[in-house]
């Protein structure tokens, strides 16, 4: 009996903890973003973060994009060939990549490559008192550290996903047409016929939303990490897990909204 | 210069600071000493404005420091410097940019002038010519000296030192201690030093505050402390393991625990 | 300082390529390239559209000449389809619009058979329509026509 009560107690406590962390994250992020238009202008630091987060993730995005397109071409071909509709391959690849795989896999890769780095970097700045040092040097750490990273992640992800999509479709074309012998005309024509502006826009909406989510989660968890080496390690893992789950949940919500 | 009244800071349900009154005098070196967990770092963070007290008041001159707007706080901080325990250099920048950080952020000076200032500051701490090293390439002692140069870059009115000698070899520690002392004599700023290093602390102090369990147990000049009759003060400055500040942290008696009296787990035969 | 210039240029290049990629996709794949916002509108009312939806193809002789914009029920309980047709394709007033299926289980599309009358202009209506042929109906007709006593 007491075990059951204490179980509910624990559940309640962890739920309250979750809610209060969510509130804390919201207030920290919105307060940081509110500093965007204030002086001193942090444009330079946004550019630097776009370099770290965006340019730094190009290779991994290109690689995942290429292999996603290639495997889609293989899988799609063997399925479609059973119905004699290999000509639909281009449309299948394009729709899958533009609507789902590009945004979701692109965001996952950004989390793994850049999100974890954001959390670890901010966590280490916390451990080594660099955040306090900024504060003491009259530089607002929320304006200097959190805000540029959230803005950069939000701006950069759509661009990365555009490249992911194009490379994925290009690689799908190579495998489908050059390797499996699908008619190139049909491949391209079906691709163009089936993809609508709505599909493409849905992809961009997701990209922006995921970029923002990664920025908010990874900066928050790093900023509030327990200031020990162990705490930073834990925070990094937690940031990657939470971002990934968050991306999938948000993906479902956005898909059901915009389908 | 700084007056604190009934300063209390509570973490969870433990009071790290319990109603502390302290007066930091201008152009003097105030040394706050105490063992680990005595609340001295907490006190420093409150005075520097990095944390807010649970209750109590802090005045900078006539200004209420606790309820100050962020804008005014940042204005005040341009005349403050702080040397952190682990130096806290920004590891994405080299020595030059670290020392020049506040000048780049808060002044419109020409790079030529900034360069001259940085050269002078690095010369004062004996590191001229190291401008292009990254923080990761510096030893602990050198990083501390760079941090000191950075704290002095804007010629502040007050500099805070958090454990300036901890983790350094005796020579580096000695260098830092004399630097803190000599630079204060030269530039007439106010220093607040938090340390558990008794020798170094007493050597440079104009005024000593001794904390124990979040309370001030002794206050005065270095000589007052050296010749104090208080048993706790004697124990601290002589570094004896046992005394009024007990060696054992256990709250139950040893004999009871050995005899498996209530309050401990008893293994049935 | 020059380090920052290099970062700035790289980021500029990256943003340029990214935005170019976004535009390329929108132009090549979105409706902008296929049909664009141009084209003119026609309507046609069907007894049964058999599930044709917005976005379905409109074809003449197997060539895509437009898209379905919207399908809704009009006041006489018929399905009114509005479609957008390429500007350079003219459709005659006596054309026949019929609902067809690509293959047996493929997408529904609207096939237009041209007549010889005058050309329809924007907002015109194709009056002659042929409803969807339901395969299920055809099959059941074929099966049950031999012994209707089963019913």
């Amino acid at each position: 009996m007491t075990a059951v009560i204490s179980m509910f107690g624990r559940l309640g406590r962890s739920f309250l903890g979750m809610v209060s962390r969510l509130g804390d994250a919201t207030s920290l992020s919105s307060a940081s973003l509110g500093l965007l238009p204030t002086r001193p202008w942090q444009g330079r630091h946004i550019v630097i973060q776009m370099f770290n987060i965006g340019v730094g993730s190009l290779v991994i995005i290109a690689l995942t994009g290429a292999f996603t397109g290639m495997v889609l071409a293989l899988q799609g071909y063997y399925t479609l060939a059973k119905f004699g509709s290999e000509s639909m391959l281009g449309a299948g690849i394009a729709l899958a990549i533009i609507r789902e795989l590009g945004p979701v896999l692109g965001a996952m890769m950004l989390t793994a490559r850049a999100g974890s780095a954001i959390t670890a970097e901010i966590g280490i700045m916390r451990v080594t008192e660099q955040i306090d040092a900024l504060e003491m040097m009259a530089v607002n750490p929320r304006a200097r550290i959190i805000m540029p990273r959230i803005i950069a992640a939000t701006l950069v992800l759509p661009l990365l996903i555009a490249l992911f999509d194009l490379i994925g479709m290009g690689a799908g074309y190579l495998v489908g047409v050059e390797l499996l012998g699908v008619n190139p005309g049909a491949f391209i024509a079906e691709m163009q016929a089936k993809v609508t502006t709505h599909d493409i826009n849905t992809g961009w909406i997701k990209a922006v939303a995921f970029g923002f989510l990664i920025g908010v989660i990874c900066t928050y968890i790093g900023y509030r990490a327990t200031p020990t080496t162990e705490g930073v390690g834990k925070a990094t893992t937690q940031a990657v897990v939470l971002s990934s789950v968050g991306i999938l949940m948000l993906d479902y919500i956005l898909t059901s909204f915009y389908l | 210069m700084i007056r604190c009244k009934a300063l209390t800071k509570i973490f969870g349900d433990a009071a790290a600071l319990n109603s502390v009154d302290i007066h930091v005098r201008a152009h003097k070196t105030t040394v706050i000493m105490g063992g680990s967990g005595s609340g001295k770092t907490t006190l420093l963070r409150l005075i520097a404005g990095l944390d807010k007290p649970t209750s109590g008041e802090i005045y900078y001159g006539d200004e209420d420091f606790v309820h100050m707007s962020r804008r005014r706080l940042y204005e005040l901080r341009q005349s403050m410097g702080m040397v952190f325990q682990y130096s806290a250099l920004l590891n994405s920048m080299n020595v030059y940019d670290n020392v020049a950080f506040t000048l780049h952020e808060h002044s419109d000076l020409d790079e030529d002038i900034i360069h001259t200032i940085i050269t002078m500051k690095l010369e004062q701490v004996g590191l001229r010519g190291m401008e292009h090293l990254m923080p990761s390439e510096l030893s602990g002692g050198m990083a501390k000296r760079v941090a000191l140069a950075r704290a002095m870059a804007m010629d502040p009115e007050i500099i805070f030192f958090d454990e300036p000698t901890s983790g350094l070899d005796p020579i580096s520690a000695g260098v830092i201690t004399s630097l803190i002392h000599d630079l204060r004599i030269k530039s007439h700023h106010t220093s607040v030093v938090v340390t558990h290093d008794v020798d170094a602390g007493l050597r440079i102090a104009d005024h000593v505050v001794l904390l124990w369990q979040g309370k001030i147990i002794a206050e005065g000049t270095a000589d007052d402390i050296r010749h104090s009759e208080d048993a706790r003060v004697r124990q601290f400055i002589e570094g004896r393991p046992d005394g009024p500040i007990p060696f054992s942290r256990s709250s139950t008696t040893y004999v009871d625990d050995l005899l498996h009296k209530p309050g401990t787990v008893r293994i049935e035969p | 300082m020059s380090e920052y210039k290099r970062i700035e240029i790289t980021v500029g290049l990256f943003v340029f390529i990214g935005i170019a990629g976004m535009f390329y996709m929108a132009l090549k794949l979105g409706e902008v390239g296929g049909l664009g916002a141009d084209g003119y509108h026609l309507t046609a009312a069907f007894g049964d559209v058999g599930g044709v939806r917005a976005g379905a193809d409109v074809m003449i002789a197997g060539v895509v000449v437009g898209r379905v914009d919207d399908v809704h029920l009009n006041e006489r309980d018929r399905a009114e389809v509005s479609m957008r047709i390429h500007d350079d394709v003219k459709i005659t007033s006596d054309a026949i619009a019929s609902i067809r299926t690509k293959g047996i289980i493929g997408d529904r599309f609207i096939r237009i058979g041209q007549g010889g009358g005058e050309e329809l202009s924007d907002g015109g209506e194709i009056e002659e329509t042929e409803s969807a042929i339901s395969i299920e109906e055809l099959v059941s007709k074929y099966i049950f026509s031999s012994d209707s006593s089963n019913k």
Side-chain angles (χ1 to χ4, degrees), chain A residues 57-70:
Chain A
S57 308
L58 272 177
V59 175
I60 191 162
I61 289 283
L63 270 177
T64 22
F67 281 101
T68 305
M70 284 158 73

Side-chain angles (χ1 to χ4, degrees), chain A residues 38 47 57 110 129 135 141 168 176 181 192 211 242 249:
Chain A
T38 61
V47 171
S57 308
L110 193 77
E129 299 177 307
E135 182 76 34
Q192 288 176 335
L242 275 182
M249 280 163 54

Side-chain angles (χ1 to χ4, degrees), chain B residues 5-156:
Chain B
K5 281 185 198 142
L7 219 48
T8 301
K9 178 72 178 176
I10 294 169
F11 291 114
D13 36 42
L17 275 186
N18 196 347
S19 194
V20 168
D21 296 295
I22 189 170
H23 182 196
V24 175
R25 289 174 185 79
H27 313 304
K28 299 276 188 239
T29 301
T30 303
V31 175
I32 302 168
M33 290 202 289
S36 11
S38 61
K40 57 188 191 305
T41 298
T42 308
L43 179 57
L44 187 72
R45 289 181 66 88
L46 293 183
I47 298 177
L50 287 171
D51 281 327
K52 294 260 180 241
T54 311
S55 67
E57 292 159 50
I58 305 172
Y59 286 96
Y60 264 69
D62 306 324
E63 284 184 272
D64 182 349
F65 191 62
V66 178
H67 303 104
M68 187 175 277
S69 73
R70 189 173 274 270
R71 175 186 295 253
R72 178 70 190 127
L73 178 65
Y74 279 1
E75 271 172 31
L76 262 184
R77 277 193 177 144
Q78 294 191 23
S79 57
M80 293 181 192
M82 185 151 180
V83 177
F84 286 87
Q85 183 167 7
Y86 302 107
S87 304
L89 300 176
L90 302 177
N91 52 16
S92 55
M93 300 176 179
N94 63 19
V95 167
Y96 179 88
D97 285 333
N98 259 294
V99 179
F101 187 82
T102 43
L103 292 167
H104 283 150
E105 289 293 327
H106 302 302
S107 77
D108 297 324
L109 296 175
D110 267 4
E111 197 57 36
D112 285 348
I113 298 173
I114 292 181
H115 190 272
T116 311
I117 298 175
I118 302 314
T119 309
M120 285 162 57
K121 299 296 172 192
L122 284 176
E123 169 67 18
Q124 286 182 315
V125 297
L127 290 179
R128 190 167 40 79
M130 312 277 181
E131 283 88 347
H132 298 292
L133 293 181
M134 296 302 285
S136 55
E137 299 169 297
L138 301 174
S139 69
M142 281 157 79
K144 268 283 162 60
R145 290 202 240 169
V146 174
L148 180 54
R150 176 176 72 175
M152 293 191 313
M154 297 270 278
D155 292 320

Side-chain angles (χ1 to χ4, degrees), chain B residues 93-228:
Chain B
M93 300 176 179
N94 63 19
V95 167
Y96 179 88
D97 285 333
N98 259 294
V99 179
F101 187 82
T102 43
L103 292 167
H104 283 150
E105 289 293 327
H106 302 302
S107 77
D108 297 324
L109 296 175
D110 267 4
E111 197 57 36
D112 285 348
I113 298 173
I114 292 181
H115 190 272
T116 311
I117 298 175
I118 302 314
T119 309
M120 285 162 57
K121 299 296 172 192
L122 284 176
E123 169 67 18
Q124 286 182 315
V125 297
L127 290 179
R128 190 167 40 79
M130 312 277 181
E131 283 88 347
H132 298 292
L133 293 181
M134 296 302 285
S136 55
E137 299 169 297
L138 301 174
S139 69
M142 281 157 79
K144 268 283 162 60
R145 290 202 240 169
V146 174
L148 180 54
R150 176 176 72 175
M152 293 191 313
M154 297 270 278
D155 292 320
E157 290 169 23
I158 181 164
I159 303 183
F160 302 103
F161 297 87
D162 187 11
E163 304 280 11
T165 57
S166 81
L168 299 183
D169 64 84
I171 298 176
S172 303
V175 168
I176 291 290
T177 313
S178 357
L179 275 175
I180 294 172
H181 188 63
D182 298 348
L183 291 172
R184 199 198 53 69
I185 304 285
K186 276 184 209 153
S187 19
H188 299 290
H189 54 251
T190 309
S191 292
V192 179
V193 183
V194 156
T195 184
H196 55 240
D197 185 336
V198 177
D199 293 336
L202 293 181
R203 184 141 64 89
I204 59 177
D206 296 312
H207 187 78
V208 180
V209 175
L210 198 56
L211 281 178
W212 182 62
Q213 292 191 345
K215 284 189 167 166
I216 295 178
I217 56 168
E219 196 171 354
T221 63
D223 277 337
D224 291 345
I225 299 296
R226 280 196 195 96
H227 304 119
S228 170

